[in-house]
Amino acid sequence: MLTLGILASGRGSNFQSIIDSIASGFLKANIAVLITDNPNAYAIERARKHNIDSLVLKPRDFTNKDTYYAHIARELKERGVELVVLAGFMRVIGKALIDQYKNKIMNIHPALLPSFPGLHGQKQAVDYGVRISGCTVHFVDEGMDTGPVIIQAAVPAYHDDTEETLSERILKQEHKIFPYAIRLYEEGRIYVEGRKVFIKGDRQDSFLINPSCPFF
Ligand code: GAR
């Protein structure tokens, strides 16, 4: 059983998709803790409903970024967390945490990286006028959305899309590929060489780029 630690800043719908994937048996994992930087995050309410411990840790209560992320790393280690899941955590992760969890921190980003990193990936895609957008699950390094890509799902982007309509289309795929990436990790099928992620039995997984495939 894989022990997860979730970091989230807001609504927490990706957090919920992980909770639901555990409840349905799709994931054989348990969630040791939710850590948030935002006392008003709805993710806290979701944790409460599911009897998951939550901690509010605000960067401004720490002397600097290093002490903040060193503290988070300690909280996660103390609870036996093996994989850290960033489910809408809106900060660039500090080295103090990355060093403790090298290639053991996953993030979901609402764009096809390396396009449109950072905040408002969906708005960036709408403003740019791309025809295809999507989402990416990747391992986290010290850059902004620069770590090795694990899985991506593509969706069409239409000229009359708004940030909201595109976000909604992308979010549906987020809720599928994030639990799936965690499952691949849990099954020990993911390995990283340099900046490339390989998935054992990769041939079946390559269809994940097409969200209209029967798997979904
Ligand atoms: C999701 O769309 C996620 O991809 C995005 O924030 C949203 C969180 O929604 N993350 C980023 O933009 C990270 N750069 P949620 O709280 O409902 O899961």
Side-chain angles (χ1 to χ4, degrees):
M1 177 105 80
L2 183 70
T3 301
L4 306 175
I6 310 287
L7 270 61
S9 298
R11 173 180 64 179
S13 72
N14 277 289
F15 173 36
Q16 187 69 51
S17 78
I18 295 162
I19 293 171
D20 294 345
S21 298
I22 292 172
S24 74
F26 182 76
L27 289 176
K28 288 169 190 55
N30 68 297
I31 301 174
V33 67
L34 164 76
I35 297 179
T36 180
D37 55 347
N38 171 13
N40 301 315
Y42 186 66
I44 298 171
E45 180 60 21
R46 297 185 195 268
R48 200 190 53 73
K49 277 191 194 146
H50 295 276
N51 290 317
I52 295 166
D53 268 359
S54 62
L55 284 178
V56 179
L57 297 172
K58 292 183 277 180
R60 80 165 97 96
D61 295 336
F62 293 79
T63 45
N64 56 43
K65 192 169 169 176
D66 269 354
T67 54
Y68 180 60
Y69 284 103
H71 186 91
I72 290 181
R74 265 197 310 279
E75 293 285 0
L76 295 167
K77 290 274 170 186
E78 266 169 23
R79 291 172 169 80
V81 168
E82 297 162 290
L83 180 69
V84 182
V85 176
L86 308 186
F89 189 68
M90 296 304 191
R91 292 178 183 277
V92 177
I93 301 296
K95 187 168 162 25
L97 178 54
I98 290 168
D99 286 350
Q100 293 291 320
Y101 282 96
K102 183 147 172 52
N103 289 335
K104 293 178 178 172
I105 307 174
M106 278 186 192
N107 180 45
I108 181 109
H109 183 74
L112 292 176
L113 292 171
S115 293
F116 314 130
L119 293 177
H120 309 296
Q122 308 95 327
K123 179 171 187 321
Q124 293 183 57
V126 167
D127 291 348
Y128 199 94
V130 294
R131 299 284 189 176
I132 296 174
S133 187
C135 48
T136 304
V137 180
H138 64 94
F139 285 119
V140 173
D141 63 13
E142 283 176 61
M144 166 112 71
D145 302 321
T146 51
V149 170
I150 303 167
I151 287 184
Q152 297 183 300
V155 303
Y158 303 116
H159 281 332
D160 60 355
D161 264 330
T162 60
E163 181 181 1
E164 289 69 33
T165 58
L166 182 61
S167 297
E168 199 179 317
R169 197 173 307 123
I170 292 173
L171 194 65
K172 286 196 182 122
Q173 301 307 319
E174 294 187 35
H175 295 162
K176 291 170 182 168
I177 66 169
F178 212 6
Y180 191 69
I182 295 167
R183 178 165 151 154
L184 291 172
Y185 186 92
E186 175 191 285
E187 291 172 344
R189 290 175 59 197
I190 297 182
Y191 61 103
V192 185
E193 280 176 17
R195 67 152 297 112
K196 285 198 184 164
V197 172
F198 295 90
I199 296 169
K200 291 175 195 156
D202 194 17
R203 234 163 249 190
Q204 295 99 302
D205 296 325
S206 58
F207 62 70
L208 285 169
I209 60 166
N210 178 1
S212 66
C213 76
F215 176 81
F216 287 140

